[in-house]
Amino acid sequence: KVPYSPELFKDCIRNPEVWDVFGRKQYEFNFLPKLNLIHCPTLVMTGEYDPEHPPAFAKQIASKIPNSTLTIVK
């Protein structure tokens, strides 16, 4: 169960200009193709109910980084 909805999370952003630059634009940025360039041991960590970086995304990130460890905190 997610503790709160994405709409409620979005309402936490008080300045619409900040949301436009840092909120919406983040979905246009794709770093996944270059994660394989990381060559040091890496910990990928998220919370079980993290609305901003859900476990499904953390799993995708960890799968792209060689020698990574995924931890999902309850």
Side-chain angles (χ1 to χ4, degrees), residues 13 15-28:
I13 307 296
N15 184 328
E17 292 176 18
V18 171
W19 172 247
D20 189 48
V21 172
F22 295 104
R24 295 177 196 182
K25 300 294 183 188
Q26 71 180 331
Y27 299 106
E28 297 172 10

Side-chain angles (χ1 to χ4, degrees), residues 9-67:
F9 180 73
K10 188 175 85 172
D11 290 342
C12 294
I13 307 296
R14 298 186 189 272
N15 184 328
E17 292 176 18
V18 171
W19 172 247
D20 189 48
V21 172
F22 295 104
R24 295 177 196 182
K25 300 294 183 188
Q26 71 180 331
Y27 299 106
E28 297 172 10
F29 179 75
N30 184 6
F31 56 85
L32 291 174
K34 293 189 175 187
L35 290 178
N36 66 322
L37 299 175
I38 299 173
H39 295 289
C40 60
T42 304
L43 174 63
V44 178
M45 193 165 128
T46 190
E48 185 175 2
Y49 300 114
D50 187 328
E52 187 68 19
H53 304 97
F57 293 157
K59 289 175 185 175
Q60 188 177 16
I61 290 168
S63 74
K64 303 286 185 188
I65 302 174
N67 200 20

